[in-house]
Amino acid sequence: FDTAGHGTHVCGIIAGRHVGIAPEARLYVACVIESATTMTSLGRVMSGMNWFLEQFSQGDNADRPAVLNMSLGFPSQAPQDVRDPKEYAKRLKVIDLLMHTAMQANVLPVAAIGNDGIDRCRYPGAFAKILGVGAVDFEDRIAWFSGNGKAKPDVVGYGVSVYSSYQRDYDNRSLYKRDSGTSMATPYVTGIAALYRSQHPTLSVTEVHQKIIDDAKGLAGQPEARVGQGLARFVAAGMQGLHAP
């Protein structure tokens, strides 16, 4: 159930049959951000992560490498609709702990750093050990809205006018549209992470995280503080050391 089409667009970028980076990936989807307030959204994100971790602690999933896409974000300071800033900070810390739990369960978290522009970075993408993703356009230029913080983003992905799935009409026809945001750049990187996890299933979460950073394409002329190590890309086995496109 996706009232705004945001999650559908994200899923299409990850694994859409026609537009996805990793079309054979299996998706586990939770709708968590369509809430009335910031605090209820935080609570739903925590519940969604707990549900996700349950899915990957049982059955065939227990040994399956996974990637957690987080096309969402919360500011470092409590927004105006939050009555208790201390409780807000506490819930952010809980999400950080859940991220670490996911990593221990062989799940690689990938998160957007937000669309608030220069010197602003949202959480969980801003957490130190999370793969934080900014956005560039198809000319490899930094998106004006893409945020940054201390040592963030780690990498960038395509996040400007990205074409992906949106919804179905009453005749059950699939509809597509273009959308922009670090929410779109993040599933681009998540799809690449899924390809790496498939190609190298024995690599640890930390090793895959580092591989994405090491294989990123440097973006000359773009400020490193805004693009991190550059544009994430998938380098197929046997191409290491070559100039991959």
Side-chain angles (χ1 to χ4, degrees), residues 115-137:
N115 305 327
D116 299 327
I118 297 174
D119 295 331
R120 294 178 181 270
C121 195
R122 294 201 166 215
Y123 292 84
F127 288 130
K129 293 189 177 181
I130 305 305
L131 192 63
V133 181
V136 293
D137 64 19

Side-chain angles (χ1 to χ4, degrees), residues 7-218:
T8 303
H9 202 271
V10 167
C11 287
I13 296 168
I14 297 172
R17 184 184 306 170
H18 303 296
V19 296
I21 302 295
E24 295 185 20
R26 181 181 299 178
L27 296 178
Y28 287 75
V29 182
C31 178
V32 295
I33 58 174
E34 291 171 348
S35 304
T37 70
T38 299
M39 294 301 282
T40 54
S41 289
L42 277 166
R44 284 168 62 89
V45 169
M46 292 188 295
S47 296
M49 289 188 67
N50 280 320
W51 168 81
F52 179 80
L53 289 169
E54 288 176 4
Q55 306 308 306
F56 281 84
S57 64
Q58 56 192 5
D60 293 340
N61 285 341
D63 298 317
R64 178 175 286 132
V67 185
L68 174 61
N69 184 88
M70 303 285 280
S71 286
L72 52 86
F74 299 92
S76 58
Q77 301 297 319
Q80 291 184 348
D81 70 329
V82 174
R83 295 182 178 180
D84 187 348
K86 290 184 178 179
E87 179 63 22
Y88 177 82
K90 181 180 177 180
R91 292 196 182 191
L92 283 182
K93 287 184 178 179
V94 171
I95 290 178
D96 190 22
L97 289 172
L98 286 169
M99 289 287 195
H100 284 273
T101 301
M103 293 171 69
Q104 292 170 359
N106 199 25
V107 176
L108 173 66
V110 183
I113 62 167
N115 305 327
D116 299 327
I118 297 174
D119 295 331
R120 294 178 181 270
C121 195
R122 294 201 166 215
Y123 292 84
F127 288 130
K129 293 189 177 181
I130 305 305
L131 192 63
V133 181
V136 293
D137 64 19
F138 291 118
E139 300 297 324
D140 293 347
R141 297 172 300 201
I142 187 70
W144 64 268
F145 53 77
S146 186
N148 70 289
K150 293 181 179 179
K152 296 289 177 174
D154 296 294
V155 292
V156 291
Y158 292 124
V160 178
S161 195
V162 178
Y163 188 72
S164 185
S165 49
Y166 177 53
Q167 62 183 15
R168 294 183 187 275
D169 64 14
Y170 286 109
D171 295 320
N172 205 35
R173 293 176 298 190
S174 296
L175 303 180
Y176 294 78
K177 74 168 186 176
R178 294 188 180 276
D179 207 350
S180 300
T182 54
S183 281
M184 284 66 246
T186 300
Y188 167 82
V189 177
T190 292
I192 289 171
L195 293 176
Y196 276 131
R197 302 227 72 181
S198 176
Q199 179 175 263
H200 305 284
T202 61
L203 291 184
S204 69
V205 164
T206 302
E207 289 170 329
V208 176
H209 179 127
Q210 190 60 47
K211 187 167 183 58
I212 292 172
I213 291 175
D214 291 343
D215 288 345
K217 172 188 173 184

Side-chain angles (χ1 to χ4, degrees), residues 142 219-228:
I142 187 70
L219 299 179
Q222 298 299 313
E224 186 176 336
R226 303 290 305 283
V227 299

